[in-house]
Amino acid sequence: VEGGGGVGVVVVCGSKNTGKSSFSRYLVNTLLNESGTGTGSRTDEKDEKDGGSDDNRYSTKVLYLDMDCGQPEYTPPGVVSLFEVRADRPMLEPTYMTRYARPVASYFIGDTSPGSDPELYEESVEALLGDCDGTVGEKEGEGKRGGRRSMRTTVVVNTHGWVQGLGLDVLCRFLRRVVGEREREREGGNGNGGRERRVALVRMQADNPRHNLPEGLFFRRRDDLDGRRKDGSGSGSGSE
């Protein structure tokens, strides 16, 4: 996901109590630790120490898109949000102690489950994706000696844990939206400022196989999901 400039999207999905939030936090902190982000990043410090040029190097931005309106990371329950996480404020504190700057964007759902108003939930998540594109489209940075520094952005998406019935339908539509954008960009219709988008799907596994997502690119195979829809068509929380 990280290789080269552009945009990497990592979607962490799975049923509740499988460690989605913990893995997302670990991934965000790993990206911050390896690359540095924002002014005074590790790349700048290394350039200054080594006396080298920072031409054609990459400045890293890490965005956290929280789709879990039941147990969100930075906001009260009932909200989906987008935050930029900086190296000087990694994701280390428990959620009940988190004190953070204003989000890039946030939308009030009004419930801890997407099931109460799926249309509002999907519209809000769609708006967050648009906010991601707007943030990614910000200007490229410059190094301390004036060299060009392309922006490399990784978006970590923590999804809700409702993976049956209506919850699965909502998740599949979101994944088709993200993957469909990538395919359109590869075909030349890049609406992301010329930056290639790379998408990775992380599937967290439950102890009970019946609670796991289907194998493969399940969000493309609508007919194969009929049994899963019948198994859980009611409202569900899906929080981790």
Side-chain angles (χ1 to χ4, degrees), residues 67-72 75-80 107-118 120-121 124 160 162 235-239:
M67 294 175 56
D68 188 354
C69 55
Q71 293 182 350
T75 66
V79 176
V80 292
Y107 298 94
F108 182 60
I109 304 301
D111 204 310
T112 57
S113 168
S116 61
D117 193 339
L120 174 62
Y121 178 84
S124 300
H160 61 80
W162 184 17
S235 175
S237 171
S239 298

Side-chain angles (χ1 to χ4, degrees), residues 14-15 162-169 208-215 218 222-234:
S15 62
W162 184 17
V163 296
Q164 293 182 338
L166 178 59
L168 181 60
D169 288 338
N208 186 344
R210 293 188 59 188
H211 297 160
N212 288 331
L213 288 164
E215 295 295 326
F218 61 91
R222 303 187 186 190
D223 294 340
D224 296 346
L225 301 177
D226 287 343
R228 304 275 298 191
R229 294 190 181 99
K230 294 176 182 177
D231 193 30
S233 57

